[in-house]
Structures are given as C-alpha cells and as structure tokens.
C-alpha cells in the first residue's frame, strides 16, 4: 500500500495534522502566528545545513528551528521587543539560508520544493520521521495540556498555582520547532504556519472547550489534506498550496456558519 505515492502523501498529511490541530489552537490563542512564520523562514537555513553536512534533513531543520526558538526566548527574557527580535532573526536566518543554498548547486533546483512543499515526493523514511515527530509533539501537549491552558488563560493565576509561564512558553516554542522540521517537506517553509493557523481559526467558532477546538482543528486539517490532494491530482496544481487553499475554503465556510449561528 505504501508504494502508492498518493497513499504516502495522505498519510504524511494526516501525520502532520495530528500535531497541528492541538498546537495550532495554542498558536491562535496566544497570537503566535508571527513566531511560527519566523521559525519556518529559519528552517531554510537548516535545509542548507543538511546539504553541506552529514546531518539528515529533518535533524538539520530541527536543530536550526530549536536554536532559533531558544535564542528568541532568551532575547525576549532580556527585555527585547518580541516582534523586533522575531523580525530580525527570521529574515536574517532566511537570507543566510538562501545565501548558503547558492553554494550548493544540487539544492538550487529543489529549493521550490522546500519553500512550497513536495508532499507527493514523500518516501517511507519521511513518513517515519513525520509520524514520530507528530506523536512526540502530541504527547508533550497532552502531558502539559492543563498547564499550557492555564498559562494561556491567565499567567498570574498560573504563577499562583506554582506554574512557571516561561517554561510553558519554551515547551510551545520547541513543539513548534519540531512541527516546522517535519512539515517542511509537506507544505514548505512558506506555508507551514498556515497549517497551524487556518484549521484552528476555523474550529474556534464551533468549539466550547479547548479540547473540542483542538479536535475540530485536527479534523479540519485532515479534510484539508484529503481535499487538497484530490484537487491537486484532478487539476494538476501544486499539492502544498492546494492543501492550504482547501483549508482556507473551510475557514470561509466556517465564517458563514458562525455568522448565521449568531
């Protein structure tokens, strides 16, 4: 069954949304969309690193993304404005990655695949990385769920309960770095944050609890993957962007349903 490229693509997409549903809910709640974009842009530097060293693609991307998450958290803790730090580091890392790519002739041709994704080229080893990473992210989120929700709702209340907000923010940052690492082959660096934000934003109007929102976001993400891949196959359009277009369509429909309900 895994010899079928479409089956592998669907399994890869479903593995991704397993993590992005719950994580994307926190991205929406905490308004971390720009942070996700910044990690995704920096991932290109990780791609270049993996091509000029024996480090595997996913590991190189993960190392750079985690390094950036730690650096941003450290600078923000020293009083630097978060949006300025993200802007400087994200664009610098992206520029450095593109410059590094120019020294790797074999990577120039494939750069578009890493910018916009190439889910139809996912292989068996990619599937293993994606599912292991997604399960790891989901496991961490389930483990820290109540603490993360409490910090998101009210940091002062969390501190009164003995929860350290800084630790929980770091957990989210590292989880996002891992998602960026596993998603770069599926939807690409430029579209990763869309898979985190759009399904969660669409689910927001239908959920009454945080858990419901995470579940509905994963469900919308799965529908987006299947619909987008089918549209890509039928109309010969790029697979990664087609998935995002499907997610955007679900979001538009959810807005209409939400307005009618109100």
């Amino acid at each position: 069954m895994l010899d079928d490229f479409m089956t592998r693509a669907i399994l890869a997409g479903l593995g991704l949304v397993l993590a992005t549903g719950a994580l994307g809910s926190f991205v929406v709640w905490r308004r971390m969309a720009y942070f996700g974009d910044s990690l995704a842009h920096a991932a290109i530097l990780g791609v270049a690193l993996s091509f000029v060293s024996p480090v595997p693609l996913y590991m190189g991307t993960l190392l750079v993304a985690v390094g950036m998450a730690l650096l941003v958290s450290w600078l923000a803790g020293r009083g630097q404005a978060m949006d300025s730090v993200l802007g400087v580091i994200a664009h610098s890392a992206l520029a450095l990655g593109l410059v590094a790519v120019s020294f790797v002739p074999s990577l120039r041709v494939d750069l578009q695949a890493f910018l916009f994704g190439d889910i139809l080229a996912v292989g068996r080893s990619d599937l293993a990385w994606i599912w292991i990473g997604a399960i790891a992210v989901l496991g961490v989120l389930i483990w820290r769920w109540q603490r993360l929700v409490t910090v998101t709702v009210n940091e002062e209340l969390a501190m009164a309960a003995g929860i350290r907000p800084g630790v929980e923010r770091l957990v989210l940052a590292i989880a996002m770095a891992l998602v960026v690492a596993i998603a770069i082959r599926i939807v690409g660096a430029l579209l990763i944050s869309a898979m985190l934000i759009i399904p969660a934003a669409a689910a927001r109007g239908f959920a009454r609890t945080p858990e419901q929102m995470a579940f509905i976001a994963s469900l919308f993400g799965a529908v987006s993957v299947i619909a987008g891949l089918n549209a890509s196959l039928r109309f010969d359009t790029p697979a990664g962007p087609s998935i995002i277009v499907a997610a955007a369509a679900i979001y538009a429909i959810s807005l209409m349903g939400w307005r009618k309900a109100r």
Side-chain angles (χ1 to χ4, degrees), residues 73-119:
S73 298
W74 180 73
L75 289 174
R78 294 178 67 86
Q80 298 293 318
M82 178 67 78
D83 57 344
S84 298
V85 169
L86 288 174
V88 170
I89 295 179
H91 296 303
S92 300
L94 176 60
L96 183 59
L98 293 176
V99 169
V101 163
S102 68
F103 292 101
V104 187
S106 61
L107 183 55
R108 293 183 191 178
V109 179
D110 297 328
L111 184 59
Q112 185 172 347
F114 293 108
L115 290 174
F116 299 102
D118 192 10
I119 191 172

Side-chain angles (χ1 to χ4, degrees), residues 49-252:
L49 174 65
S50 69
F51 272 78
V52 297
S53 70
V55 178
L57 171 66
Y58 293 106
M59 188 58 65
T61 308
L62 178 61
L63 288 174
V64 170
V66 169
M68 180 179 169
L70 294 174
L71 179 60
V72 169
S73 298
W74 180 73
L75 289 174
R78 294 178 67 86
Q80 298 293 318
M82 178 67 78
D83 57 344
S84 298
V85 169
L86 288 174
V88 170
I89 295 179
H91 296 303
S92 300
L94 176 60
L96 183 59
L98 293 176
V99 169
V101 163
S102 68
F103 292 101
V104 187
S106 61
L107 183 55
R108 293 183 191 178
V109 179
D110 297 328
L111 184 59
Q112 185 172 347
F114 293 108
L115 290 174
F116 299 102
D118 192 10
I119 191 172
L120 298 179
V122 166
R124 291 170 179 261
S125 60
D126 296 316
L127 276 179
W129 275 103
I130 291 165
W131 276 88
I132 290 172
I135 291 172
V137 169
L138 186 61
V140 168
L141 292 178
I142 291 173
W143 171 44
R144 310 292 294 188
W145 184 263
Q146 195 55 56
R147 290 173 174 264
L148 289 169
V149 171
T150 303
V151 169
T152 300
V153 172
N154 191 313
E155 290 197 358
E156 288 77 14
L157 178 63
M159 288 188 288
I163 300 171
R164 292 187 292 174
V167 173
E168 305 311 318
R169 285 195 294 268
L170 187 59
V171 168
L172 280 179
I174 293 176
M176 288 180 67
L178 184 53
V179 166
V180 166
I182 65 176
I184 195 165
R185 283 293 298 271
I186 300 176
V187 291
L190 299 183
L191 302 175
I192 289 172
S193 59
M195 278 304 290
L196 283 167
I197 299 166
I198 299 177
R204 194 170 193 173
F206 299 97
R208 295 182 179 273
T209 66
E211 293 77 13
Q212 284 183 3
M213 181 167 165
F215 176 78
I216 296 172
S218 296
L219 181 62
F220 283 166
V223 172
S224 302
V225 167
I226 295 171
L229 286 174
N230 277 295
S232 173
L233 188 63
R234 181 173 181 180
F235 301 110
D236 194 25
T237 55
S242 296
I243 292 172
I244 304 304
V245 169
I250 292 174
Y251 176 70

